[in-house]
């Protein structure tokens, strides 16, 4: 099996708002991006009572992999993310077009899910802005179990395998499935999170990585 391809420019972008679900999910710009070591809410959906009233937040995990060495679609591949602490959410892996290449994740990349502009604009918290059945490119099925004591080994589908071979830079966004992906507003009083490590942690023992099996 080839050596793993470790992530670069990976981290989370989070948007929080005191306005409403529509604003927090549909916005193209996050309040901040986090790349340092790890985060207990790499993927997050929250609706809480804050100092001045209600507050909503959504966090999305972005990862980039250099796949210039792969020119033929692999027989199979997995996205491997080391879990940390919380495991409240189901997730799904989507194709991303975040930028800039060769630099760090920016807060402006929060909405950078390929072909998601229209459904995100249609956000209403009742499913009108769902990403299901749209031209958004899914790279995995819904993942219903999140490990906090080891790696989450997410099987990638045929669309992902094709892009791994055809793109020099393979970019993904991992988001919550039940609320963010389906556009279902989370009830007040809830903070749901999945934590993970980033490549900036140091060394590679906890890094996200791409593993694959070439066609024989």
């Amino acid at each position: 099996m080839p050596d793993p391809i470790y992530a670069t420019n990976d981290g989370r972008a989070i948007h929080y708002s005191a306005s409403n679900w529509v604003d927090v999910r549909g916005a193209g710009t996050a309040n901040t991006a986090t790349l340092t070591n790890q985060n207990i809410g790499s993927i997050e959906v929250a609706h809480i009572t804050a100092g001045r009233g209600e507050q909503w937040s959504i966090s999305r995990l972005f990862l980039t992999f250099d796949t210039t060495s792969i020119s033929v679609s692999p027989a199979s591949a997995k996205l491997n993310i080391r879990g940390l602490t919380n495991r409240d959410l189901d997730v799904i892996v989507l194709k991303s077009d975040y930028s800039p290449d060769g630099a760090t994740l920016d807060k402006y990349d929060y909405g950078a899910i390929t072909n998601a502009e229209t459904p995100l604009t249609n956000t209403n918290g009742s499913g009108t802005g769902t990403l299901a059945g749209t031209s958004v490119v899914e790279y995995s099925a819904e993942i219903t179990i999140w490990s906090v004591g080891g790696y989450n080994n997410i099987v990638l589908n045929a669309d992902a395998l094709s892009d791994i071979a055809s793109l020099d830079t393979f970019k993904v966004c991992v988001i919550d499935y039940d609320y963010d992906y389906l556009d279902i507003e989370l009830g007040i009083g809830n903070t749901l999170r999945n934590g993970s490590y980033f490549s900036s942690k140091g060394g590679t023992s906890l890094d996200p990585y791409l593993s694959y099996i070439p066609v024989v």
Side-chain angles (χ1 to χ4, degrees):
M1 182 180 296
D3 292 336
I5 300 174
Y6 292 104
T8 58
N9 307 333
D10 55 311
R12 74 151 187 177
I14 185 169
H15 184 218
Y16 45 87
S17 172
S19 297
N20 49 55
W21 171 262
V22 173
D23 179 65
V24 74
R25 181 177 184 264
T29 303
N31 299 94
T32 187
T34 304
L35 300 105
T36 304
N37 298 337
Q38 64 208 46
N39 197 282
I40 62 172
S42 295
I43 307 155
E44 176 180 304
V45 181
H47 183 185
I48 62 174
T49 301
R52 297 184 179 180
E54 294 180 61
Q55 180 170 290
W56 294 255
S57 66
I58 294 176
S59 176
R60 297 168 180 159
L61 174 62
F62 293 85
L63 307 102
T64 289
F65 302 89
D66 181 353
T67 51
T68 53
S69 62
I70 305 174
S71 58
V72 177
S73 296
S76 64
K78 292 180 181 180
L79 172 63
N80 305 280
I81 302 172
R82 183 63 159 78
L84 168 71
T85 312
N86 305 294
R87 51 183 173 190
D88 301 325
L89 298 167
D90 294 354
V91 303
I92 189 168
V93 183
L94 306 175
K95 182 175 183 176
S96 176
D97 50 11
Y98 78 91
S99 60
D101 290 332
T104 56
L105 174 69
D106 193 278
K107 66 181 182 179
Y108 297 102
D109 295 317
Y110 171 79
I113 299 169
T114 302
N115 299 332
E117 182 176 358
T118 297
L120 289 179
T121 299
N122 293 334
T123 297
N124 71 349
S126 298
T128 300
T130 181
L131 301 182
T134 69
S135 56
V136 166
V137 181
E138 300 173 358
Y139 277 162
S140 78
E142 177 187 3
I143 308 304
T144 60
I145 298 174
W146 187 261
S147 170
V148 298
Y151 271 91
N152 295 277
N153 309 117
I154 302 172
V155 176
L156 300 178
N157 62 23
D159 287 329
L161 300 181
S162 177
D163 283 349
I164 287 171
S166 64
L167 301 174
D168 289 341
T169 306
F170 182 66
K171 301 176 183 179
V172 305
C173 178
V174 186
I175 70 170
D176 156 67
Y177 185 88
D178 292 312
Y179 305 98
D180 193 5
Y181 178 81
L182 295 178
D183 183 30
I184 301 298
E185 182 174 3
L186 181 66
I188 193 168
N190 293 286
T191 298
L192 305 178
R193 294 168 170 160
N194 288 9
S196 75
Y197 291 90
F198 306 145
S199 61
S200 54
K201 178 67 175 176
T204 58
S205 63
L206 298 172
D207 282 11
Y209 68 93
L210 191 67
S211 58
Y212 67 99
I213 299 176
V215 173
V216 179

